[in-house]
Amino acid sequence: MAKVLVIGSGGREHAIAAKFAQSPQVEEVFVAPGNPGMCDVATVVNIAQNHTEALIAFVQAENIDLIFVGPEIPLCEGIVDEMEKAGCVVFGPTKKAAMLEGSKVFSKHLMKKYHIPTAAYESFSDYEQAKEYLSKQQCPIVLKADGLAAGKGVIIAQTMEEAQQALADMMCNALFDKAGSSVVIEEYLEGEEFSLLAFVNEELVIPMEIAQDHKRAFDNDEGLNTGGMGAYTPVNHLPKQAVEDALHLIMKPMAKAMVAEGCPFKGVLYGGCMWTKNGVKTIEFNVRFGDPETEVLLLSLQDDLYQVCMDVLAKKEVQLHWSEKPILGVVLANKGYPQSYQKGAIIKGLDKVNAHVFHMGTSLKEGEVIATGGRVLFVACEGDTLKEAQDKVYEEIKKIDCDALFYRHDIGNKGIR
Ligand code: AMP
Ligand code: GLY
């Protein structure tokens, strides 16, 4: 029997830990640093996700068979390289391969070099040059901070004034700290977004079912970009061609490109795709499971995640199986997110909820669950139809008692209309 360590502390890691815990081959799942909501499926270990040495010592002391790294920050800092050097078995990309998410400039350059469809762009590290280029573009226009910004480093400017202000905020006023010292300025694309994730090892690409996230904070896609406010799978109203093209024009070519560049990819590769009137385009790559897509995808996955990881590490082809039933989930976030918000409100009523509840950002205080993250909880249900799943989720959410939280009311509508 195997032992697994999941690294991270959000809803994604709660879902990953829950899925590993279901495997008949897995004896125990640990999560570091985890959160109190995960105690239902795993042993929570109090080691920070950037404390690599302590994590390695724990892995060695417990004889952990597989480590699964959830978030992008430790991946981009090289946790996989360090752990592999110490002889651990890790499912996740090396620091070099994680640049695909860690640097938008790197990722856009590779897409251009290998003819992977994406928005036309230029990148800049000099403010005056960027300003000059921007002044000659049409609006709307998209500005992206080069580095990691928790899904918030993208500005879609409707007017030139807004665009110039955003550029100055990124490059001169360090709105996203160092992440914005280089920027990508790119063409605005119109179309429908979807997420295609795949288990990848070098040129082996095993695609998952597609999911759809909802990036904006408020109903009708209004408000700022967030890490994601809700998700569902499958996305049946998109044509099969969109998924086929995303696999053959985006995911497989990028896996191949990474091998050719000397930084082969191993782990979960996330393609943020858009189906436009000119075909499929890449919005971004992430180098890990998406949050909250993972929560719905892993509820739908019928296979043993431990076996899938082991097979992919051994470069074996795997056939994945997905639930026939749609799964939909909604994020409850602290009011103010993705900007500043108050922490610490008490959450009541969780024991009454008849749904899958994943904890994204909670803590325990004097025996009560409190809201500490920007995104706090993810509530998901399956249904015979997407509408039924949606109705169930919104019914169950009403049982959660916490005035400090807000959520979108239209998750899944695109798939229902
Ligand atoms: P990213 O962090 O690159 O995924 O961008 C966050 C969100 O901004 C995406 O999910 C899209 O909704 C939007 N976005 C990013 N790039 C573009 C683009 N070129 N055209 C239109 N929308 C975009
Ligand atoms: N849900 C999008 C992301 O994880 O980046």
Side-chain angles (χ1 to χ4, degrees):
M1 292 287 277
K3 290 185 184 177
V4 177
L5 170 65
V6 178
I7 295 174
S9 62
R12 164 183 49 212
E13 288 75 24
H14 193 180
I16 295 168
K19 191 67 194 166
F20 277 126
Q22 282 173 7
S23 165
Q25 304 180 66
V26 173
E27 166 192 339
E28 187 163 11
V29 182
F30 299 91
V31 194
N35 70 46
M38 301 180 186
C39 295
D40 58 343
V41 291
T43 305
V44 175
V45 182
N46 186 18
I47 306 176
Q49 66 183 32
N50 61 358
H51 209 148
T52 311
E53 251 175 62
L55 288 168
I56 292 173
F58 177 80
V59 165
Q60 290 169 341
E62 285 287 343
N63 287 315
I64 302 281
D65 299 278
L66 176 67
I67 302 151
F68 196 106
V69 187
E72 62 275 20
I73 293 176
L75 291 169
C76 290
E77 286 173 352
I79 193 171
V80 171
D81 310 57
E82 292 298 313
M83 290 191 140
E84 285 182 342
K85 233 184 277 165
C88 310
V89 178
V90 199
F91 200 86
T94 59
K95 181 174 182 167
K96 215 170 154 196
M99 288 267 289
L100 204 50
E101 176 167 2
S103 166
K104 298 223 188 249
V105 175
F106 173 86
S107 141
K108 292 292 285 192
H109 280 328
L110 273 194
M111 286 188 251
K112 194 186 255 181
K113 181 168 172 189
Y114 291 91
H115 310 289
I116 295 170
T118 188
Y121 80 102
E122 287 295 333
S123 61
F124 299 92
S125 50
D126 179 83
Y127 173 63
E128 290 303 328
Q129 281 175 12
K131 195 174 153 186
E132 167 74 16
Y133 172 83
L134 181 60
S135 68
K136 296 189 187 121
Q137 304 307 305
Q138 301 286 330
C139 286
I141 185 102
V142 182
L143 284 88
K144 298 186 173 183
D146 176 51
L148 293 180
K152 300 165 208 159
V154 175
I155 305 283
I156 298 169
Q158 300 296 336
T159 64
M160 191 45 70
E161 202 180 354
E162 206 185 317
Q164 290 288 5
Q165 183 62 48
L167 184 72
D169 283 345
M170 279 184 189
M171 297 191 85
C172 310
N173 308 332
L175 181 64
F176 302 113
D177 296 325
K178 275 194 303 211
S181 59
S182 295
V183 297
V184 167
I185 300 179
E186 73 176 29
E187 168 199 10
Y188 175 76
L189 296 173
E190 255 174 297
E192 183 147 0
E193 279 185 65
F194 61 98
S195 308
L196 175 59
L197 284 74
F199 296 99
V200 173
N201 192 357
E202 301 194 351
E203 292 195 20
L204 177 70
V205 177
I206 317 269
M208 302 185 206
E209 182 54 88
I210 61 169
Q212 198 164 50
D213 188 10
H214 298 65
K215 302 265 187 183
R216 301 296 195 97
F218 306 127
D219 289 12
N220 301 317
D221 292 334
E222 287 176 12
L224 293 173
N225 264 321
T226 67
M229 295 299 291
Y232 64 95
T233 184
V235 189
N236 286 331
H237 64 286
L238 277 168
K240 289 256 173 315
Q241 193 66 43
V243 186
E244 280 295 298
D245 287 355
L247 178 61
H248 295 289
L249 304 177
I250 295 177
M251 303 300 282
K252 288 192 170 180
M254 184 47 88
K256 224 171 164 173
M258 296 296 277
V259 174
E261 292 290 311
C263 45
F265 191 93
K266 160 175 61 65
V268 172
L269 182 62
Y270 169 124
C273 306
M274 194 183 280
W275 181 238
T276 75
K277 62 179 191 301
N278 299 320
V280 75
K281 306 272 179 182
T282 318
I283 293 283
E284 64 163 348
F285 285 102
N286 291 328
V287 298
R288 35 96 196 157
F289 263 125
D291 196 355
E293 290 95 328
T294 307
E295 288 88 318
V296 291
L297 285 170
L298 291 184
L299 286 173
S300 180
L301 181 66
Q302 303 296 296
D303 305 285
D304 173 348
L305 182 61
Y306 183 78
Q307 190 61 48
V308 171
C309 290
M310 287 316 199
D311 286 347
V312 172
L313 287 175
K315 298 209 189 91
K316 283 194 206 151
E317 269 295 340
V318 185
Q319 187 65 46
L320 299 178
H321 304 83
W322 302 92
S323 169
E324 298 275 298
K325 297 196 174 190
I327 299 175
L328 181 143
V330 174
V331 171
L332 283 77
N334 255 313
K335 286 178 185 161
Y337 172 79
Q339 290 175 305
S340 63
Y341 52 85
Q342 298 230 319
K343 292 185 183 185
I346 295 172
I347 305 169
K348 295 215 156 102
L350 283 176
D351 52 331
K352 300 195 197 89
V353 177
N354 183 19
H356 300 278
V357 177
F358 297 105
H359 289 238
M360 305 184 95
T362 64
S363 305
L364 270 186
K365 193 176 168 193
E366 291 158 10
E368 310 231 54
V369 179
I370 58 168
T372 43
R375 295 186 294 172
V376 177
L377 292 167
F378 187 75
V379 180
C381 291
E382 63 173 23
D384 287 332
T385 61
L386 192 58
K387 176 81 176 100
E388 189 184 296
Q390 187 196 47
D391 287 343
K392 275 197 206 167
V393 171
Y394 284 117
E395 216 28 60
E396 295 302 320
I397 283 181
K398 287 188 198 150
K399 300 178 185 165
I400 299 175
D401 180 11
C402 183
D403 287 344
L405 303 182
F406 79 100
Y407 56 88
R408 280 181 61 158
H409 303 82
D410 61 346
I411 301 300
N413 277 2
K414 282 192 189 129
I416 292 168
R417 275 198 204 115

